[in-house]
Amino acid sequence: MFTIKKILLDFMEEAAGVTSFPVLSWQFAATGRNFRQSAFHIQAAERADFTQLIYDSGEMAGKDSNGIKPHVKLQSGRRYYVRVRAAAEGKWCTWSEPVSFLTGNIAENWQGKFISAETPADKDNSKGTYLCKEIQLDKEVEQAVIYTTALGLYQFFINGQRIGREELAPGWTAYQKRLSYQTYEVTEYLKNGRNELRAHVGAGWYKGMLTFHHVRNLYGEQTAFFGQLHVRYTDGTEDVFATDESWLGADSPVLFAEIYGGETYDAGKAEPEAGMWHTVQCVDYPLNNLQPQTASPIRVAGEIPVQKMLVTPKGERVLDFGQNMSGWVKFKVRGAKGTQVKLHCFEVLDKDGNVYLENLREAKETITYIKGSDAEEVFTPHFTYQGFQYAWLEEWPDDAQADDFTAQVLHSDMPQTGSFACSEKLINQLQHNILWGLKGNFLDVPTDCPQRDERLGWTGDAEIFSSTANFLVNTHAFYQKWLGDLVAEQADNGAVPHVVPDVLTPVATPEMIEHMGMDGASGWADAATIVPWNLYLATGDIAILRRQYDSMKKWVSFMDARMDEQGRFTYKMQFGDWLALDGDGKTPLGATPTPFTCSVYHLVSLEIVARSAKILGYLQEAAAFNQKLEKLLRRFRANYLPEGELTVKTQSAYAMVLAYKLAPADIRPKLAKELVDMLEKDGHLVTGFMGTPCLCQALSENGQTAAAWKLLEREEFPGWLYPVKQGATTIWEHWDGKRPDGSFCSPDMNSFNHYAYG
Ligand code: BGC
């Protein structure tokens, strides 16, 4: 007995906005063992009852149930249904439950214009605006689909009803080259007669303050909205209502909202008065940059009640949600019209138990709300998010109660696929912290941290964490989108910027670019090879390798071209074994020399490219890459492993050489023993971003499992369980983010929600 229990579309559980027939994968539920599919049968239809088929594969012999792509011509803005059945040992199971997907604007017949309720004079303004249009529908509607996006952030409403569950849409891409649009089926929101279409738009990543350089207008000076509604009537005709000069604009009650800065909202201004609507301006933006967002939008993924309300020794009223997270505080507030309330979100209490805001640097994480009536009101922010466990009620009426507040957790919506639990409570908490480190930093872009004035798509952090992420959740749509941005931001010479989307290069001075460089950091830029490779390993999706292959090759050849005679890569600023404890303590750099770490990553990337070439069937290229790999490995061994001795005497060097299998197999046990001796001598790990992920694997794969256990189970600083013992609910940026005496390792670079060591 077996059935098909789940069908994935393009490797995801939902698909809206797809522009070609999704790749199908299906999972079985079977009672017996050794179950093997021998044939499958796929049908697709425009109706859920499968009466009018648009595709019928017939019974196809085949054992694959992953990565099957039917080739079917689809129309824009339609819903299609798919079902699958399969056979094993001559017996067919019943048809699966149908799944459906919604197509995006395949025809790309864009008719809308980007319209703004702002003018160039609003360049220094991060206020919210409304864009609005009334339309008339006189015939019976068969189906209506809208494509929407914005320069900035937006929410969209039809007749006052919010469309979709996305937050912070359209997300963050390399806006100058790519902008995601969302696709919604809106049939049920429309009625015969007059209908109001309304967008609410905010500054977001597009023009609000961004980066630790605190610059604004990185992509443009005016927010704008784009929408195109296709209404198909039962008589077969269609109307298109698209944004243009006939829409009206007005200021919204959002007086200020920025990613880092929080939001100020005046509920007294909730609805613009009739005379406040004004004409809108069209903003130039290339429509061929539009690309569909098909899955994993940012959504409210959970709610956490207040665990404790406390008053600090300084007298601050504080809410403790018991979990570090990304999101915002939803609240109820009472008081007379015009009453202003203000709260600040933050991560940790200081040594004395008082509010600690320093590690947020210039990020304000402040919500200010002005009451619009005398009645109780409920508020949720619109165009910001906070990284926090606590909220400080700086200005609030005395009657505040714990159940007036709920933390809403925001992250890209990715179903959990992996979990781990054991009998050791502290390790289970560590596992929890790893998962919440992911949740806190997967907001459309894989960020380094969610709280301070940074929150950037640091490539190194993403690369290091990607295999853990793939184990925990279905990252397919998320990484695929981000890798598209990586390609968009990669220089012609192959250099990959430190952060994707790249918001550091545009604001760097020529001197900074010349001396430090804003790209080409080994281990960071290798996100170009490692992230797609890990995604391929997790999903079996060859298309991801095909899509990224040129980018992978370009990055490897960037390094090739900058090797010196001895095969050393010494390009500009290298982060190396970032934050390792064996550095000089004056900088965040570890002791492992960067020419060494660069060579290691170069070999790792080269091997990935060689293997990808083979999988993609580029056999000549694969052979050439393998040849080069052998040559460079010989040189690496000559440089760093003469006569079987590893010349770089750091824990990270040993861990990397072992985990990446760069030493000949026969000397690995000896190296592992030396690594154990070093750990004994140092008394603990001293590894940073590069060495840490390799450490336990290097030991346990080479006969030193006991030493790996010892590292994992260590409860004192430095070790994975030290933050757990300190009450951490996420992974910390530093092994000693908070010291045993309650002091902090640094005021300005100390995130308590940084997934790398996870
Ligand atoms: C980030 C990192 C990042 C590093 C590189 C930090 O500010 O938080 O995690 O990789 O910079 O310099």
Side-chain angles (χ1 to χ4, degrees), residues 448-449 452 454 458 461 524 575 578 689 733 749 754:
D448 57 331
C449 60
R452 66 184 178 221
E454 191 152 5
W458 280 98
D461 307 47
W524 269 245
F575 304 116
W578 186 248
F689 270 35
E733 179 173 23
M749 207 185 89
H754 225 78

Side-chain angles (χ1 to χ4, degrees), residues 443-515:
L443 279 94
D444 208 46
V445 165
T447 59
D448 57 331
C449 60
Q451 72 298 86
R452 66 184 178 221
D453 52 2
E454 191 152 5
R455 314 183 194 190
L456 304 179
W458 280 98
T459 46
D461 307 47
E463 171 268 298
I464 288 160
F465 190 65
S466 62
S467 60
T468 303
N470 292 335
F471 167 74
L472 291 170
V473 297
N474 186 339
T475 56
H476 193 276
F478 178 85
Y479 277 141
Q480 180 179 306
K481 174 242 164 204
W482 185 69
L483 287 169
D485 288 305
L486 186 146
V487 170
E489 301 282 33
Q490 188 170 15
D492 291 339
N493 66 7
V496 178
H498 296 338
V499 298
V500 171
D502 184 10
V503 283
L504 294 181
T505 309
V507 300
T509 60
E511 292 74 41
M512 281 160 88
I513 294 189
E514 175 61 24
H515 300 297

Side-chain angles (χ1 to χ4, degrees), residues 303-306 319 321 325-332 343-346 365 367 369 378-382 384-393 396 402 404-410:
E303 298 204 328
I304 301 182
V306 172
L319 312 171
F321 292 96
M325 71 190 108
S326 289
W328 50 46
V329 180
K330 176 180 178 179
F331 56 80
K332 287 189 270 194
L343 65 78
H344 306 269
C345 290
F346 65 102
E365 302 218 304
I367 305 297
Y369 179 85
V378 179
F379 180 68
T380 313
H382 302 78
T384 182
Y385 75 92
Q386 281 76 55
F388 69 107
Q389 170 173 341
Y390 299 92
W392 165 33
L393 305 180
W396 217 272
D404 291 336
F405 304 90
T406 311
Q408 293 195 311
V409 183
L410 287 179

Side-chain angles (χ1 to χ4, degrees), residues 45 56 152 367 455 612 625 741:
D56 190 343
I367 305 297
R455 314 183 194 190
S612 302
F625 283 123
D741 68 358

